[in-house]
Every structure is written in C-alpha cells, then in structure tokens.
Amino acid sequence: MSRPHGIPLPSAHRSSDSNGTESAFGDDKQGQPRPREGVRQLTGAERVRTLVESNASVSLTLPGARDSHGPDEFGTGMPAARTVTPDGDVILLVSAESAAARAAAHAQDDDLTAVIEITDVAPVSVPHRIRGRAWLAGWLTRVRGTDRAACAALLAERQPVGELLGMEGRPAYVLLRLEVGEISVDDLWGAEHVDPEDLAAAEPDPVAGHEAELLQHLASSHSDRVGELCGLLGGRAADGMTATPLALDRLGLRVRFSGGATGSFDARFDFPEPVADICGLRRAMRSLFAAAGDTSQR
C-alpha cells in the first residue's frame, strides 16, 4: 500500500518526538503508568483499527493548509465520522465547506498529503486521562462516482449519518478517502509503528462500543467491587489504595491503582478467554469479580 513515487509523507507521529520510539506521554516526566506485567494484549493494528472506528477525538491536518474557521489555525478541524474500508483506506465525513474538502476537490493520486490524529481519553476521572494517540498519514482524495454510495453505506454501518451525507441537492458533507501510508500508535501498551496492510486485516475490538458505558457504571456504582480486585495483586497490594477501572477490551480489564506507597500503577486482569460480544463480556466480568470476592474472604 506504499507509493514508490510522489510527495513524501509527513511524519505519522508527534513532531516534538525526537525519535520513533519516544513516548508521546513523556512517561518519566508525567508519571503515566505503563504495563510491567507480561499479559495478553491487542496488536498495534487492532488498537489503531479500534481507535479509528471509535468515537475518540480525531483531527485532520493538511500540512500547509489553514482552516476557514480560524485564519491562524493550522489544519482542517474534526471529521464528523470515519471508518475503514476492506483495503485499509480511511473514509472521512467532513463538512463540504472545510479546508480539507476544498483542498481534496481537485487532488489527484498523491497530490495532497494529510495526517489524522486520534486522541483516546479515558471515560472516567483518573490522573493522566489520555490513554493513547494514533497517527495515520497518507494521501487524501475525494470519494467520487459509484464509490460514494459504497463508502456511504460502509460508514452508515458504524453510525447513522445519512442526513449528513446530503444525498439530495448540494451536500452539506462530503466523503474523503485517506490512502494510508504510515501509522504509529502510542498508548498504554507502548509506542510502535503499524504496517498499513496489518490495519486492513485487523478487526476493531468488539467490546469498544460498550467500553465507556461499562467503565462509567463500574466506577460510579460498583467501586467496592473494583476495589476488591486489590486482593488479586499479590505483593503489589497495599493499604489505602484506590482502584479506578481504566480500560476494557475483549482480553481483559485494566485498573489504575493509586494512593499506595509505590505510587500509581496499572494492573491488567485477563479474562479466561477472549470475549466475542456483550454477553460473553458480562460472564467474564462476573467470573473476575467472583475470584476477587473469594480472595477477600480468605
């Protein structure tokens, strides 16, 4: 999916990074906990695919372009929706009046480079709420002709956007295609580059659509049950620690513990087996809390 010719891509990671492995979190300076235990995890491609398909905050930047909403602002604003095609392209729904739509109106092949930045923020109140960022750099063009209906249908599978697509008359929104050439992710699991072909083959995590609601429910209504997970920490458990559910995927639950003598750290609690849907997730969560309850009663 890489191009042998054309305009070089802008870097698909923060311009402030000094190298490809430096963390966007500034881990040593900001205290963002990183995983220290050997646990199962989603691949980098799965994590990026999940972020692209999620409701996480996203921005689209065209190097050198300026947005009509602010003459001093670098970039083009926020797409209204996005999804990934079977070929690994990212389809973006943007305002027809946006700088991105205007720039892509006459772009051909590799004329126009762009960078998507996705910021994942924890849906619960916790120190260092930014859980990760992903960057996808590539070549931006307008979706035209028969491809438009197919891409609109694909996008509508993720969320109802038919009224935005302006199928009659002058469209209020247009569809853009980002042919991805470079991907990087920096999140709770670490920083790495992702092959665009791996993104095309990856599937979004099936739990992602329920994660925010479930984490908020655990934090607000079952904080005592989450606290009982301290009993599964072994030697890392300490008096006075608070436990906040931080992340959830098909493989397990991540909890951030703070207030102990060792400072903040994350612990990952694996499910017995990967879950495929919300029913399997409920069973896995009940098993996890049952195990923690048995430990607390000993």
Side-chain angles (χ1 to χ4, degrees), residues 188-225:
L188 295 170
W189 296 108
E192 62 182 283
H193 292 279
V194 174
D195 191 304
E197 293 184 358
D198 292 337
L199 177 69
E203 292 290 337
D205 187 78
V207 174
H210 309 283
E211 184 198 24
E213 180 182 1
L214 289 174
L215 290 179
Q216 291 168 352
H217 179 68
L218 287 174
S220 63
S221 302
H222 299 286
S223 59
D224 55 337
R225 302 298 305 275

Side-chain angles (χ1 to χ4, degrees), residues 50-59 78-84 90-93 116 118-119 154-155 158-159 161:
T50 299
L51 284 177
V52 173
E53 301 279 5
S54 74
N55 292 321
S57 174
V58 62
S59 64
M78 296 178 61
R82 71 270 183 181
T83 192
V84 179
V90 178
I91 302 301
L92 303 166
L93 183 68
I116 298 172
I118 306 173
T119 302
L154 185 65
L155 190 64
R158 193 185 73 85
Q159 61 185 54
V161 293

Side-chain angles (χ1 to χ4, degrees), residues 9-200:
L9 280 175
S11 179
H13 57 77
R14 292 201 327 180
S15 59
S16 59
D17 287 349
S18 60
N19 56 65
T21 59
E22 182 179 348
S23 169
F25 289 121
D27 197 35
D28 294 337
K29 297 178 181 179
Q30 299 183 28
Q32 177 69 265
R34 293 287 199 181
R36 303 300 182 189
E37 64 274 33
V39 296
R40 296 177 305 187
Q41 66 182 75
L42 303 181
T43 67
E46 289 173 325
R47 287 163 14 228
V48 173
R49 180 68 183 260
T50 299
L51 284 177
V52 173
E53 301 279 5
S54 74
N55 292 321
S57 174
V58 62
S59 64
L60 173 65
T61 299
L62 310 181
R66 294 189 180 276
D67 187 47
S68 60
H69 297 294
D72 297 327
E73 293 181 5
F74 182 79
T76 62
M78 296 178 61
R82 71 270 183 181
T83 192
V84 179
T85 71
D87 294 330
D89 297 338
V90 178
I91 302 301
L92 303 166
L93 183 68
V94 303
S95 168
E97 303 300 324
S98 67
R102 296 196 305 271
H106 306 290
Q108 299 292 329
D109 297 327
D110 54 8
D111 286 348
L112 185 63
T113 58
V115 178
I116 298 172
E117 178 175 343
I118 306 173
T119 302
D120 179 31
V121 180
V124 294
S125 179
V126 65
H128 313 298
R129 287 188 68 178
I130 296 179
R131 301 188 299 187
R133 291 188 176 93
W135 298 264
L136 301 92
W139 299 268
L140 196 67
T141 55
R142 181 88 170 258
V143 177
R144 303 180 186 278
T146 57
D147 285 345
R148 185 171 182 267
C151 289
L154 185 65
L155 190 64
E157 290 178 7
R158 193 185 73 85
Q159 61 185 54
V161 293
E163 70 279 5
L164 297 179
L165 293 174
M167 304 306 281
E168 298 180 0
R170 184 172 182 270
Y173 286 80
V174 298
L175 292 170
L176 303 181
R177 180 193 307 273
L178 184 77
E179 182 182 345
V180 181
E182 182 183 349
I183 306 169
S184 63
V185 61
D186 187 358
D187 59 11
L188 295 170
W189 296 108
E192 62 182 283
H193 292 279
V194 174
D195 191 304
E197 293 184 358
D198 292 337
L199 177 69

Side-chain angles (χ1 to χ4, degrees), residues 214-288:
L214 289 174
L215 290 179
Q216 291 168 352
H217 179 68
L218 287 174
S220 63
S221 302
H222 299 286
S223 59
D224 55 337
R225 302 298 305 275
V226 178
E228 290 179 356
L229 294 174
C230 288
L232 301 177
L233 292 176
R236 287 187 296 175
D239 293 336
M241 287 196 309
T242 60
T244 305
L246 179 67
L248 184 66
D249 58 47
R250 74 175 187 274
L251 300 178
L253 172 69
R254 181 187 292 269
V255 177
R256 179 155 296 170
F257 293 92
S258 58
T262 59
S264 297
F265 65 90
D266 287 3
R268 172 79 173 190
F269 300 94
D270 284 352
F271 297 144
E273 58 185 22
V275 301
D277 51 35
I278 188 65
C279 294
L281 177 61
R282 291 194 181 102
R283 289 193 297 269
M285 293 295 292
R286 284 196 294 267
S287 297
L288 176 61

